[in-house]
Amino acid sequence: MVPAKGGGLLQLFQHAHHRVEGHLIDFREELERGRPGAELLAHAATDLNQHMFVEEKFLFPLLSEKLAAVVAGLQDEHGRVWDLMGELRELLRRDAGRETLQAGTARLMGALTAHNTAEDLGVYPDLLALLGPSRAQALLMEVERVEVPRGWMCAARAWPTRVLPGAEAGFPLRRDE
């Protein structure tokens, strides 16, 4: 059952934040035990990629007229988070030391916490007020079915960049042109 007044949509976005944070907490704990969990980081990256795609495709366009500066700031933050996730994945791939991986994890988690707080306390309630319950429910049904296109990059990093050969989909290595 979906809570009244579009709360299901709000819960969907907040739950995505918690899932990503949970994967990163588990990754950090595995690092502390001396066992870096590549699979945990991959899950965090996949969930984060999905969440940013949904926000940039559905949420931000709805809010851009009313909150243009806020949306632009959030997109910039997506770029920062995108870079930090890519850096952490690269550090893990290169078998960086535990302290280096812990520092990279802390940077990413710090950026995510600040970004998620801005969304949870500011943007999401505005979205619900803008949409109303029936449109929020329709949007919820749509975003629950969406899949991230292969090779998608967040708006802050999509141009002007080029995906380097051999980079995997989602948080690819990149080189500015």
Side-chain angles (χ1 to χ4, degrees), residues 147-161:
E147 291 186 30
V148 180
R150 183 169 172 81
W152 177 83
M153 295 178 77
C154 72
R157 298 300 178 256
W159 184 261
T161 61

Side-chain angles (χ1 to χ4, degrees), residues 4 7 26-27 30 42 83 92 105 108 130 138 144 156 158:
D26 291 345
F27 176 76
E30 288 296 305
D83 292 344
L92 184 62
T105 303
L108 175 57
L130 176 71
E144 285 180 325

